Amino acid sequence: MGKIVGGFLVPHDPVMFIAPKAPQEDVAQRMWGAFASCAERLADLNATSVVVIGADHYMLFGTGCLPQYLIGTGDVDGPIDPLPGLRRGVIPDNQKLASFIAEHGKDNGFDWAVGRAFTVDHAVAIPNQLIIEPVRAKGQHIGTIPVYLASGVDPFIKMQRAIQVGGAIKAAVEASPDDERVVVIGSGGISHWVGVPEMGKVNEAFDREIMDYAVRGDVAGIGALSDDYILANGGNGGMEIRQWACAMGAMPGAKGEIIDYAAVPEWVTGLGFVQLHA
């Protein structure tokens, strides 16, 4: 039987790689350091697998096919959108557990779309490289299981459904016949406006509201937020709090600890880092 032993809520800001020196040096060092802190904390959890919950940035899916939620069950590589310092490569996976999550879901009302060979984008590749790879480099084998939610473009997955998907992940992990120690990472956000005139705006008040839901373990509170509210206060990029809600749904009742936060307009995003304690 497996269990979820912890979680993290982190950003996946590609501008950090494109313009690493844009913010003040102390701010940049803190944000890179927050990723390093997550890696150190992940090492302490002795995880065997990490489910990274990301978003579609309209690079993998488009108008022809836009799944509401998908899990990679085969070979994983990426990112499809390589960046300076973020090269494309093979990502160690856990096909057995990923396939079990998909099949368990189908037996319990969750018809997963699956990627039998899946190239991720930066939503998965950034936390994989900055949080998981440093632990692998120390000799600990960890499989990355990518999950995608429709939060990049309309039609968006409903907030409540995102939370339910998290619950389905939890149920499947606990039903797994193997002794898996699983960590979930909700990758995205917080406030940012992408490709619109407001790009570069950051709403710290919204960011702290979202982090407060995580700190208190208030899954119902974050799930009650309307799309209109999120778009108005967190921007179109703020729709990625669905990944946070999904990870929280996988750890009901878990309290969060803020590792760090900064509003970084130079990186067009409010960058929040939270650890969820099982």
Side-chain angles (χ1 to χ4, degrees):
M1 178 181 291
K3 62 180 178 179
I4 294 179
V5 297
F8 297 91
L9 309 175
V10 301
H12 58 237
D13 189 349
V15 190
M16 292 180 69
F17 290 84
I18 296 169
K21 297 183 179 180
Q24 293 183 355
E25 184 177 357
D26 62 330
V27 173
Q29 288 180 349
R30 275 178 48 210
M31 297 301 96
W32 291 109
F35 276 112
S37 292
C38 291
E40 293 170 0
R41 293 171 182 232
L42 174 62
D44 291 339
L45 293 171
N46 296 315
T48 57
S49 296
V50 178
V51 176
V52 183
I53 305 158
D56 173 37
H57 293 99
Y58 227 41
M59 287 179 272
L60 302 179
F61 311 111
T63 55
C65 177
L66 189 63
Q68 289 288 280
Y69 51 98
L70 175 146
I71 187 167
T73 60
D75 294 336
V76 180
D77 78 307
I80 197 170
D81 52 338
L83 301 165
L86 188 70
R87 296 183 178 180
R88 182 168 176 172
V90 173
I91 296 176
D93 55 55
N94 185 338
Q95 297 182 25
K96 182 178 181 181
L97 179 58
S99 297
F100 185 86
I101 292 171
E103 289 303 314
H104 185 274
K106 291 177 182 180
D107 290 337
N108 292 277
F110 289 85
D111 294 321
W112 286 93
V114 298
R116 290 183 171 172
F118 196 52
T119 301
V120 303
D121 74 0
H122 65 271
V124 170
I126 288 177
N128 178 75
Q129 177 166 310
L130 297 183
I131 300 176
I132 306 173
E133 281 296 342
V135 183
R136 291 192 185 112
K138 296 178 180 179
Q140 186 174 337
H141 176 75
I142 302 177
T144 295
I145 298 175
V147 167
Y148 267 71
L149 304 183
S151 67
V153 294
D154 179 66
F156 305 107
I157 188 171
K158 297 296 184 182
M159 286 289 289
Q160 287 296 329
R161 191 58 168 172
I163 292 168
Q164 291 167 0
V165 169
I169 293 169
K170 177 181 186 293
V173 167
E174 292 179 347
S176 168
D178 297 323
D179 186 22
E180 291 278 359
R181 293 178 58 85
V182 178
V183 169
V184 293
I185 295 180
S187 169
I190 311 174
S191 67
H192 58 297
W193 283 254
V194 182
V196 294
E198 298 92 338
M199 190 165 178
K201 175 182 176 182
V202 177
N203 185 350
E204 182 171 346
F206 175 82
D207 295 343
R208 294 200 177 277
E209 176 187 357
I210 300 307
M211 289 190 295
D212 186 57
Y213 290 126
V215 168
R216 292 185 287 110
D218 187 357
V219 179
I222 196 171
L225 297 178
S226 70
D227 287 354
D228 288 343
Y229 179 82
I230 298 167
L231 287 166
N233 292 278
N236 53 351
M239 300 299 273
E240 292 176 349
I241 65 169
R242 283 158 163 73
Q243 286 92 264
W244 286 38
C246 184
M248 290 169 65
M251 298 181 64
K255 305 299 183 184
E257 175 193 354
I258 295 176
I259 296 170
D260 208 342
Y261 169 80
V264 190
E266 298 89 350
W267 285 340
V268 304
T269 308
L271 301 174
F273 299 79
V274 179
Q275 181 174 6
L276 298 176
H277 294 286

